[in-house]
Amino acid sequence: MRKIFMAFLGVVLLLSMINPAYTNNLGEAATSEGETKSTAIPVTATAALKGELTDYSTKYYKVTMPDNGELSISMANTGDSIDVSVWDSQGDDLLAILDSENEIGPMKTTMGFAKGQVIYIMIDGYGESSKYDIQLGFKAKGNFEKEPNNHIAKSQLLSLNTKTSGYVDDDMDYRDYYKFTLTKPGKVTVKLSNSKQGELYFGLMNEDEKDYDYLITNPLKSGSTSMEIGLPVGTYYMSVSGDSLSNEPIPYQLELKFTAGTNYETESNDKKAEADPIKLNSSYQGFHNGGYDNDVYSFRLTKKEKLKFSVSDSVNFMTVENGERELEWVVPEDTTSGVATKTIELAPDTYYVRINGSSSTPYNLKVQSITAALAASKVTVKNNYNKNDSVTVSGIQKENLIKVYDKSSGGKLLASKKSTGTSTTLSIKQLSQKAGKVYVTNTKAGSLESARTAVSYKAEPSAPLKASQVKITNNRAKNDVIKVSSIKKGDTIKVYNKASGGKLLVSKKAKGTSVDLSVKQLSQKAGKVYVTVTRSGLLGSSKTAISYKAEQSAPLKASQIKVKNNKGKSDTITVKSIKKGDTIKVYNKASGGKLLVSKKSAGTSTTLSVKQLGKKAGSVYVSITKSGLRESSKVKMSYKKE
């Protein structure tokens, strides 16, 4: 019966071409109610249409949609030969066909329409008497396919970030067209869901119906299938078509999501002339369709740079090209990390990145500049004693990230700091007491970390000596002695005459836990020396200031002293051949004892008076203290009795 109807439809279309006045019987003059379009019987969108056609006649019904929504048309199988066709208000588009053949059960089709839209239902009987039983149903819906949209010229405009429901079947309504407009570039995500078995085909195309991408649902089960694609500003078209495994239409839901952005591949970019321009140090997401797809990107270098290319391992291969030839290939089939990389040093020029793939999985592309390694001369390391060590880097840019490692690869990150100017100093609690190396990197904002620069540093200074560890004897008429104790075997002691710079007076390596250093002459007068210690593997310590006393004055000779033990008056001690300012002291004992008298000389001799030395013979002990020197040893002078 369908063949008969389709043959009839072909005749109708042929007649309409020969005689424009004849258009699917819709324009014929009225003979009785419902026999032509102009006399179509108005019914509601939920009406029951029942009746009988005689002598191969036709009946028309007119339906006006009460709202946006879906209209269902169900026809019971009466056993008679009935064809039902649905036409738009102009009679131009045949929207659906239901034909009853004896072996087919109840039939149904569903379509979406806009509020106020008018359609015509034409029922044709193929016999002397044909009964029909048709039920109309309507459900209001906001986002629903609106017929007629079975031509690209009649594509239904969809809003982004919305869901739209629709139906397709194997008869007249086998394809629905939609369109959307992008006012910004970005990523479009399409999700197509079918709630019944049946294969759905979705195509994204331009106005000439050239596909950008497509997807196909699983025909054996319901579910959803999605795809992503990057697109520039413009208007795009979509089609949904179906191949049902049953006699009923396949309901579907079409969802569009849009994410604005300039870091997406924009179709079509299959050739160098259509390449997407990219920026260094930015991530881009690309999309391959189910077939082999080339995506081309371009960038320009104004100076020589080392670059790292990274691409997802879901692609077939990536090439780096200039205007003349391919420079490098990346085939990521053996990668295990999910990302394939290649580092290339390139001269100033325009370059192209071509990515070929057949997987519909999105991929990521990144071309990153690698920061140039620091010159060792720009790095200063201070290995301090008893405070944090420091690494100072100069000749950099603001916002550069400096990192310090303990090894040339891997190892431990010792310090990290972002520069606030053209130099920066990083503090490290402890590098090592002994000499060693650190490895320093520089990372410019947005770029990759540089290679590590090895920078040597000296050992820490040794711990300085304490003053209590050093004893100085400033001898008269023989070498002076500096004794350092509580040290370690192998320590080197150095003695200087100044706190900074100065002359090295003596140096000696200890053979035990103490050491004596001999200096021919420190000074006759009191003063200071500056002593350092250098432990094995370390630098010399800071200088410790050690004070020493003056030398002893030369003792008096007996010939210089004359003692008179007078009777009835004070006794006297006269000292001659001395200098003005010399101090003479007289004691009653050789060691300790009592100071009997003391006097500073006003000339080259002086006389000291003692009230009573003793009536009997005895001895006194006389010392001299010259200016700036210590007191001499005592000279014993005997005296007679009074």
Side-chain angles (χ1 to χ4, degrees):
M1 184 61 69
R2 176 175 295 188
K3 292 179 181 178
I4 296 173
F5 177 78
M6 295 307 290
F8 165 74
L9 179 61
V11 172
V12 169
L13 293 174
L14 179 61
L15 288 173
S16 67
M17 294 173 65
I18 298 172
N19 181 6
Y22 186 89
T23 308
N24 303 327
N25 286 333
L26 300 183
E28 290 184 313
T31 55
S32 63
E33 184 181 29
E35 291 185 1
T36 65
K37 174 188 172 185
S38 59
T39 62
I41 302 169
V43 294
T44 67
T46 56
L49 311 180
K50 292 184 179 181
E52 183 178 359
L53 299 174
T54 58
D55 297 329
Y56 301 91
S57 60
T58 300
K59 183 72 73 174
Y60 289 90
Y61 293 92
K62 176 182 178 181
V63 183
T64 301
M65 300 304 147
D67 204 342
N68 295 324
E70 65 179 49
L71 177 72
S72 61
I73 304 175
S74 303
M75 182 170 71
N77 186 0
T78 62
D80 293 331
S81 295
I82 296 292
D83 279 324
V84 177
S85 56
V86 182
W87 297 80
D88 73 341
S89 60
Q90 304 300 318
D92 296 332
D93 286 295
L94 180 58
L95 305 180
I97 296 175
L98 297 175
D99 72 69
S100 62
E101 296 186 33
N102 293 333
E103 67 270 23
I104 298 176
M107 292 151 288
K108 182 178 180 180
T109 189
T110 306
M111 293 167 284
F113 295 103
K115 181 179 181 180
Q117 189 170 349
V118 175
I119 64 163
Y120 291 88
I121 300 174
M122 183 172 72
I123 305 170
D124 288 301
Y126 295 95
E128 293 181 355
S129 176
S130 301
K131 294 181 179 180
Y132 59 89
D133 184 356
I134 300 170
Q135 179 64 51
L136 304 183
F138 184 82
K139 183 185 294 184
K141 284 191 175 181
N143 293 319
F144 198 79
E145 168 206 6
K146 297 177 178 63
E147 297 286 359
N149 64 339
N150 53 353
H151 302 291
I152 193 168
K154 295 185 177 181
S155 296
Q156 180 178 336
L157 180 63
L158 296 185
S159 299
L160 297 172
N161 301 311
T162 59
K163 296 179 182 179
T164 301
S165 300
Y167 289 88
V168 288
D169 60 30
D170 289 340
D171 289 317
M172 301 306 295
D173 189 27
Y174 65 91
R175 179 170 295 172
D176 296 331
Y177 283 88
Y178 301 92
K179 66 179 178 179
F180 62 90
T181 299
L182 297 184
T183 58
K184 296 179 180 179
K187 178 178 72 173
V188 175
T189 302
V190 179
K191 183 178 179 181
L192 182 63
S193 305
N194 57 309
S195 57
K196 287 186 178 180
Q197 288 188 12
E199 184 176 76
L200 291 175
Y201 176 90
F202 170 88
L204 177 67
M205 65 198 79
N206 62 15
E207 60 184 348
D208 297 323
E209 297 195 58
K210 176 185 175 182
D211 278 351
Y212 290 120
D213 207 346
Y214 65 90
L215 59 85
I216 302 173
T217 65
N218 189 331
L220 301 179
K221 64 179 182 179
S222 60
S224 63
T225 307
S226 61
M227 58 168 270
E228 294 177 307
I229 187 169
L231 296 171
V233 171
T235 298
Y236 300 90
Y237 297 83
M238 302 173 289
S239 68
V240 179
S241 56
D243 183 9
S244 177
L245 298 182
S246 67
N247 295 315
E248 293 187 359
I250 306 173
Y252 66 84
Q253 188 176 72
L254 180 62
E255 183 177 357
L256 291 182
K257 289 186 178 179
F258 176 70
T259 305
T262 56
N263 285 39
Y264 299 106
E265 171 214 0
T266 57
E267 292 287 357
S268 171
N269 61 339
D270 298 346
K271 302 174 183 177
K272 288 182 179 179
E274 301 167 338
D276 283 335
I278 61 174
K279 295 179 181 179
L280 298 182
N281 307 312
S282 294
S283 294
Y284 294 86
Q285 188 176 47
F287 314 93
H288 283 142
N289 58 36
Y292 285 94
D293 183 22
N294 267 321
D295 295 334
V296 183
Y297 304 85
S298 67
F299 63 91
R300 179 164 182 78
L301 294 182
T302 58
K303 62 180 181 179
K304 186 176 181 180
E305 288 199 54
K306 184 179 285 188
L307 303 177
K308 180 181 179 182
F309 294 79
S310 304
V311 68
S312 304
D313 64 2
S314 58
V315 307
N316 294 342
F317 64 82
M318 177 181 75
T319 60
V320 180
E321 310 167 12
N322 61 11
E324 302 170 356
R325 61 189 178 91
E326 293 171 348
L327 304 175
E328 292 285 350
W329 277 71
V330 178
V331 181
E333 58 187 6
D334 297 328
T335 59
T336 57
S337 64
V339 179
T341 62
K342 190 81 171 182
T343 299
I344 314 171
E345 190 169 51
L346 297 174
D349 202 350
T350 296
Y351 294 92
Y352 299 89
V353 181
R354 184 185 303 276
I355 299 176
N356 178 277
S358 55
S359 169
S360 58
T361 304
Y363 65 86
N364 292 305
L365 168 68
K366 197 168 190 178
V367 183
Q368 297 168 279
S369 58
I370 300 174
T371 308
L374 292 163
S377 61
K378 300 292 184 183
V379 184
T380 302
V381 183
K382 288 187 177 180
N383 193 6
N384 299 312
Y385 164 74
N386 206 30
K387 65 178 181 178
N388 284 1
D389 304 323
S390 66
V391 178
T392 300
V393 182
S394 59
I396 56 177
Q397 296 176 353
K398 187 178 180 180
E399 298 298 314
N400 282 17
L401 180 63
I402 305 299
K403 292 183 178 181
V404 182
Y405 299 88
D406 66 342
K407 292 185 179 179
S408 58
S409 65
K412 180 182 178 183
L413 177 65
L414 301 176
S416 176
K417 188 176 181 182
K418 187 173 285 188
S419 171
T420 57
T422 57
S423 67
T424 190
T425 299
L426 298 88
S427 178
I428 300 170
K429 189 171 184 180
Q430 176 63 274
L431 288 174
S432 171
Q433 287 186 313
K434 297 187 177 181
K437 287 182 179 180
V438 290
Y439 302 86
V440 189
T441 67
N442 183 22
T443 306
K444 291 184 178 179
S447 298
L448 290 176
E449 187 176 12
S450 71
R452 299 182 184 186
T453 299
V455 182
S456 298
Y457 59 86
K458 296 179 180 179
E460 253 185 32
S462 304
L465 294 165
K466 296 177 181 178
S468 60
Q469 291 177 262
V470 185
K471 182 180 180 181
I472 300 177
T473 304
N474 192 5
N475 295 313
R476 186 186 72 80
K478 64 179 180 179
N479 285 1
D480 303 324
V481 177
I482 302 155
K483 183 179 181 68
V484 182
S485 58
S486 300
I487 56 175
K488 291 182 179 180
K489 183 179 178 180
D491 287 356
T492 298
I493 306 299
K494 292 182 179 181
V495 181
Y496 298 86
N497 66 343
K498 291 185 179 180
S500 177
K503 180 182 177 182
L504 176 63
L505 302 177
V506 65
S507 175
K508 190 173 182 181
K509 182 178 285 189
K511 294 181 180 179
T513 58
S514 65
V515 66
D516 289 341
L517 297 92
S518 177
V519 180
K520 189 172 183 180
Q521 177 61 272
L522 290 174
S523 172
Q524 287 185 314
K525 296 184 178 182
K528 287 182 180 180
V529 290
Y530 301 88
V531 188
T532 68
V533 60
T534 303
R535 298 196 184 281
S536 177
L538 303 183
L539 294 181
S541 70
S542 58
K543 295 176 178 178
T544 300
I546 306 294
S547 298
Y548 59 85
K549 296 178 180 179
E551 280 186 9
Q552 277 188 310
S553 304
L556 293 164
K557 296 177 181 178
S559 60
Q560 291 177 270
I561 307 168
K562 184 178 181 180
V563 181
K564 285 186 177 182
N565 191 3
N566 299 314
K567 181 180 180 181
K569 61 179 181 180
S570 294
D571 304 323
T572 61
I573 301 100
T574 300
V575 181
K576 62 181 180 178
S577 301
I578 58 177
K579 291 182 179 180
K580 183 180 179 181
D582 289 351
T583 299
I584 305 299
K585 292 182 179 180
V586 180
Y587 298 89
N588 67 345
K589 289 184 179 180
S591 177
K594 179 181 178 183
L595 176 63
L596 300 176
V597 66
S598 174
K599 187 176 181 182
K600 181 179 285 189
S601 172
T604 58
S605 67
T606 188
T607 298
L608 298 86
S609 177
V610 180
K611 189 173 183 179
Q612 178 61 271
L613 290 174
K615 291 184 179 183
K616 296 182 179 181
S619 297
V620 291
Y621 300 86
V622 186
S623 72
I624 184 171
T625 303
K626 295 188 174 293
S627 178
L629 302 183
R630 287 186 292 130
E631 186 179 8
S632 70
S633 58
K634 298 173 183 177
V635 175
K636 180 179 179 180
M637 294 300 298
S638 298
Y639 58 84
K640 297 178 180 180
K641 64 181 179 179
E642 284 184 0

